[in-house]
Amino acid sequence: MSDSFMNDWVYTDIVKDHFMNPRNIWKREEHFEPDGVGEVGSLACGDQMRIGIQVKDDKIVKLRWLTYGCASAIASTSMMSEMATGMSLGEAYRITPDMVTKALGGLPEHKFHCSVLGDKALRAAIDDYLAKQGRENTLKTSVARVMCECKNVTDQAIETLVASGKVRTLKELQDLTGYGTGCGKCKQKIADYFYEMMHVHGKEVAEE
């Protein structure tokens, strides 16, 4: 790429570095054998992420990833892979898109959502590892954030319902959880999160 082209980018130098030189890519010739795998997104939606982890003594000792995504998704996942390696499962589970974005020196506001795929896939890989070990997964509830205080509906509950295909519309989500039927202040926030999770998990919104 020419210097003038790169200079026109609105990304930080750290983002450019991780996009041009992504770390911990999952390469076929490495014969990486993961203990847990997480996949989110879909090619139909334009973004897909796959993360594999190797775990020893409840710490992530190696992480590899593949994505079909934009420069922001690649740079975010590259940074996240460096942050998560060496962390305990609990520490890695609590990595947020905001933490990754800050480590990158920021992302354009309209690209912030691209950093979501990586941490979702990482959590899915940890969930997969714990399930294969036959262990109780207390991490899901430990990071849950209440989005509807009237009905105690958390972001984790919404994501689980979306990922499992149990809800395909906002009405189905409201019928199951009761969100928005109290004070109603959460409606827009939950609607935004619902559509974000539908995209992250490669689901199509059904007609109501």
Side-chain angles (χ1 to χ4, degrees), residues 48-203:
Q48 189 172 36
M49 182 75 67
R50 185 175 200 228
I51 285 180
I53 55 172
Q54 289 182 346
V55 180
K56 185 177 181 181
D57 299 330
D58 274 358
K59 287 190 175 182
I60 296 175
V61 294
K62 190 173 286 187
L63 185 157
R64 296 291 183 263
W65 59 276
L66 285 173
T67 188
Y68 295 96
C70 65
S72 296
I74 291 170
S76 298
T77 312
S78 174
M79 174 59 80
M80 185 274 295
S81 72
E82 289 199 320
M83 294 168 65
T85 302
M87 282 185 170
S88 68
L89 295 178
E91 290 172 333
Y93 212 87
R94 290 175 176 79
I95 292 177
T96 65
D98 189 53
M99 292 164 65
V100 175
T101 300
K102 286 180 179 175
L104 288 169
L107 283 173
E109 188 173 345
H110 68 287
K111 287 292 185 181
F112 180 80
H113 72 281
C114 300
S115 63
V116 171
L117 282 177
D119 87 292
K120 293 294 183 190
L122 174 58
R123 290 182 185 182
I126 295 173
D127 290 343
D128 181 56
Y129 167 74
L130 293 174
K132 286 177 177 173
Q133 297 292 309
R135 293 168 54 181
E136 181 183 3
N137 188 346
T138 59
L139 294 174
K140 279 189 176 181
T141 53
S142 71
V143 300
R145 178 168 52 99
V146 175
M147 301 192 76
C148 172
E149 294 183 0
C150 299
K151 298 296 179 180
N152 195 31
V153 181
T154 67
D155 57 346
Q156 292 292 319
I158 294 171
E159 182 177 358
T160 298
L161 289 170
V162 168
S164 65
K166 291 182 179 177
V167 297
R168 298 178 302 155
T169 67
L170 275 172
K171 184 175 187 310
E172 289 177 348
L173 179 64
Q174 188 174 56
D175 289 344
L176 273 176
T177 65
Y179 92 85
T181 56
C183 72
K185 292 179 180 177
C186 64
K187 282 186 175 180
Q188 187 58 53
K189 179 172 59 178
I190 286 184
D192 293 343
Y193 188 72
F194 169 76
Y195 290 119
E196 180 184 338
M197 290 302 101
M198 291 294 282
H199 174 73
V200 165
H201 290 281
K203 305 291 186 182

Side-chain angles (χ1 to χ4, degrees), residues 13-25:
D13 289 341
I14 303 175
V15 174
K16 293 175 187 174
D17 179 40
H18 278 268
F19 170 58
M20 299 299 289
N21 307 287
R23 283 68 151 175
N24 302 310
I25 292 284

